[in-house]
Amino acid sequence: MDLLEHEGKQLFAAAGLPVLPSAVATTAAAAREAATGLGLPVVVKAQVESGGRGKAGGVRVCRDLDEVATAADEILTMTIGGRPVTGLLLEPAVDIELELYLAIAVSRAERAPVLIFSRHGGVDIEEIARNHFEAIVRRPLDPLLGPADYQVRDVLRAAALDGERRSPNGRPLKEVLAAIVRALWRLYHDRDATLVEINPLAVTTAGELICLDSKVTIDDNALGRQPELAESRRDSDVETRARNAGLAYVELEGDIGVLGNGAGLVMATMDQIETAGGAAANFCDIGGGAGAARVKVALSLITSSPRVAAVLVNVFGGITRCDEVARGLLEAFAERSEERRVGKECRSRWS
Ligand code: GDP
Ligand code: MN
């Protein structure tokens, strides 16, 4: 489960990580009011389950309330990374001196959590990771103990902060950074996360370290012991709706929706699409013996993605009755005839 930035920041605050006071809004009027409360200038940020908001124009510094309202209106209608913006987060704007990158993520290859740090954080971190591998500190962690002292020191060395520099409350910046690494580990560990990322972890001109962004993924298999987080799960979340309906649904990056039955057939279908030069937007496995009702739900899940330009149905008529599947499709089409996206011009070679 991917948390939105503002949800992640609530966990950050609870874990003692430094975040700014903030407010969420879903209309321009509410954004104005929030900005008035926070004090100008503010940063208006798209809340969306996607990264790359800065580059897409989803993060704007606003100096007056009219600018806030304009930015809010514009950002709220945006889609970023194929996902619709669902709200806004407003925070006081700060002057950034340096953008650090700090994360803990599961590494399948190392079969361990890894601590990742770079002095060169910010919106170009992917490019840095690709072309300046040496600029990234990567340390596998003991899954029970977390970062060892020497690993924290590795981070401090790579951060190359001025040893004499102190935050406004008099604490050496290096000490603050070490505390942040440890707090991030506690959060990762205690909340059953598979990813906790702060990018940027800003050093402000005032000499403070502040988490300006948050990216948190919680292990779905651990939601049973994270009732508080399971509760906050958004109802509109497609994967949740699928889970509640007993369907396997997975969101991908392409533009072709896939409806099939059985994991094997669905995987083979995806391979065929890929081989033919297409890319799946998502897939939904209706399982064996599905009736019309199930098919209808599956199709509504698949077409709820704004990226879907066509749907490929591949159902094997073993224990599943194909007339039931056809009936489900017809019912779904009848219900959704206005907003039907199927048949829209396909952007891939499948047109
Ligand atoms: P992302 O692009 O989705 O990762 O969104 P971020 O939350 O990381 O924001 C992108 C960039 O916006 C950051 O790297 C900062 O450079 C900038 N930014 C975010 N908050 C502030 C702020 O309070 N003040 C200033 N000056 N820039 C900010
Ligand atoms: Mn970021």
Side-chain angles (χ1 to χ4, degrees), residues 5 20 43 45 50-55 59 61 91-96 99 122-123 199-200 212-213:
E5 177 190 7
L20 293 167
V43 182
K45 307 183 74 176
S50 168
R53 295 167 304 164
K55 287 198 168 166
V59 177
V61 179
E91 288 184 349
V94 292
D95 288 325
I96 301 172
E99 299 194 319
V123 296
N199 183 35
L212 283 191
D213 191 8

Side-chain angles (χ1 to χ4, degrees), residues 92-347:
V94 292
D95 288 325
I96 301 172
E97 184 179 305
L98 181 63
E99 299 194 319
L100 308 174
Y101 176 97
L102 177 66
I104 298 172
V106 171
S107 163
R108 284 170 202 272
E110 278 141 309
R111 297 187 180 188
V114 284
L115 177 66
I116 308 163
F117 175 81
S118 178
R119 184 182 158 82
H120 308 281
V123 296
D124 291 320
I125 190 69
E126 271 92 9
E127 198 269 330
I128 301 230
R130 256 194 314 276
N131 301 322
H132 303 278
F133 199 69
E134 73 293 343
I136 310 253
V137 173
R138 225 172 159 279
R139 299 285 182 270
L141 303 178
D142 183 304
L144 297 177
L145 302 177
D149 289 350
Y150 71 89
Q151 293 175 316
V152 176
R153 284 197 295 274
D154 285 347
V155 167
L156 297 184
R157 200 169 307 119
L161 299 171
D162 177 354
E164 302 301 306
R165 188 118 182 245
R166 287 170 187 268
S167 66
N169 66 12
R171 212 166 155 207
L173 268 195
K174 285 183 142 187
E175 223 177 276
V176 177
L177 180 55
I180 288 174
V181 174
R182 293 188 198 290
L184 192 65
W185 165 258
R186 291 260 46 106
L187 167 57
Y188 172 90
H189 179 273
D190 295 351
R191 302 290 188 156
D192 288 307
T194 54
L195 169 72
V196 285
E197 183 191 84
I198 314 171
N199 183 35
L201 170 57
V203 180
T204 67
T205 47
E208 284 172 298
L209 271 163
I210 299 175
C211 307
L212 283 191
D213 191 8
S214 87
K215 204 166 181 188
V216 176
T217 306
I218 305 295
D219 183 352
D220 287 331
N221 295 315
L223 284 178
R225 57 183 189 194
Q226 298 290 347
E228 205 184 306
L229 296 175
E231 184 76 13
S232 81
R233 189 179 259 278
R234 291 165 295 288
D235 294 337
S236 60
D237 181 77
V238 190
E239 293 184 14
T240 313
R241 274 168 61 205
R243 198 170 305 115
N244 293 342
L247 296 162
Y249 173 91
V250 173
E251 189 92 25
L252 300 157
E253 304 296 321
D255 59 358
I256 301 170
V258 176
L259 189 155
N261 59 341
L265 181 64
V266 170
M267 289 303 128
T269 308
M270 310 266 287
D271 286 348
Q272 289 300 309
I273 289 175
E274 183 96 21
T275 306
N282 53 27
F283 68 77
C284 190
D285 177 0
I286 58 170
R294 252 170 111 69
V295 173
K296 209 166 115 183
V297 176
L299 197 66
S300 91
L301 293 172
I302 288 171
T303 54
S304 69
S305 161
R307 280 195 311 278
V308 170
V311 180
L312 178 67
V313 178
N314 191 6
V315 171
F316 177 70
I319 55 169
T320 304
R321 285 180 48 168
C322 288
D323 60 338
E324 276 291 309
V325 174
R327 202 157 60 77
L329 293 178
L330 286 174
E331 282 173 18
F333 285 143
E335 246 174 50
R336 295 176 50 94
S337 55
E338 264 114 82
E339 37 178 328
R340 193 187 305 169
R341 296 194 187 86
V342 182
K344 205 172 73 178
E345 191 189 331
C346 190
R347 276 166 278 129

